[in-house]
Each structure stands twice: as C-alpha cells, then as structure tokens.
C-alpha cells in the first residue's frame, strides 16, 4: 500500500475559495483505479494550511492518478493560490494494523 501525505499553504485570499475545488478533486480521485481513500483536511489552527491523505493500492495507481485530468486540472489551478510549493511525502507500507 502507498500512503501519500501532502501539505499546502494557500494565500489568505485563496484559502476559502479552494475548498470546493479540493472537495471535487477528492471525490473524483476516490473513483480512480487503486484508490483506497483520499481526503483533504484543513488545519484547525492555521486556516491557510491544507493536507491531503491518500491511500493507494500501488505506486502505478498513484502515478496514473497524478496523470489523470482531474489531478492535472487541480495542479494547474494552484498557480497564484499557494504561498509555497506543496510538500508531498510518499510512504510505502508493507503492513498496517489497527492500534490496540
């Protein structure tokens, strides 16, 4: 399994306006082949900070998602809205179990 955690700081002027865009991208992404889960969240202390947490069956599925039209549309629409380049971290997980 592949877990992706992305962090993006938006400008104060753009932060509220990107919520609908992120929601539609998340909904489309959950329909991508190999997507186990895909969520955007907004930080409770910094309203300009957003995270995505994604789970994919394979790196090939993630790569296909990154090339998908809805992902490319999102990335293209970020120009002028982000305060800095997003930070994206990819984790390859060999096992995952509930915490007990």
């Amino acid at each position: 399994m592949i877990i992706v955690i992305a962090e993006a700081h938006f400008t104060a002027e753009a932060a509220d306006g990107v919520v609908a865009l992120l929601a539609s991208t998340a909904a489309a992404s959950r329909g991508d082949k190999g997507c186990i889960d895909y969520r955007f969240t907004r930080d409770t202390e910094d309203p300009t900070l957003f995270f995505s947490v994604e789970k994919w069956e394979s790196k090939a599925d993630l790569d296909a998602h990154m090339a998908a039209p809805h992902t490319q549309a999102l990335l293209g629409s970020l120009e002028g809205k982000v305060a800095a380049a997003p930070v994206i971290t990819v984790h390859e997980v060999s096992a995952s179990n509930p915490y007990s």
Side-chain angles (χ1 to χ4, degrees):
M1 175 173 42
I2 304 295
I3 297 175
V4 179
I5 301 173
E7 172 181 332
H9 280 272
F10 290 90
T11 64
E13 300 78 26
D16 288 337
V18 299
V19 172
L21 175 63
L22 298 179
S24 67
T25 300
S29 297
R30 286 192 286 274
D32 288 347
K33 178 186 176 296
C35 182
I36 298 166
D37 194 24
Y38 193 108
R39 307 269 171 199
F40 280 104
T41 62
R42 192 173 197 176
D43 191 88
T44 57
E45 296 175 6
D46 179 353
T48 67
L49 177 58
F50 290 77
F51 295 92
S52 71
V53 179
E54 311 166 25
K55 296 178 186 175
W56 297 93
E57 290 181 12
S58 70
K59 176 76 165 57
D61 292 330
L62 171 59
D63 291 342
H65 160 72
M66 292 304 293
H70 58 270
T71 304
Q72 290 300 306
L74 171 66
L75 295 175
S77 72
L78 296 181
E79 187 173 334
K81 295 179 180 155
V82 290
V87 175
I88 302 171
T89 307
V90 177
H91 306 270
E92 294 187 44
V93 179
S94 61
S96 182
N97 299 298
Y99 178 77
S100 58

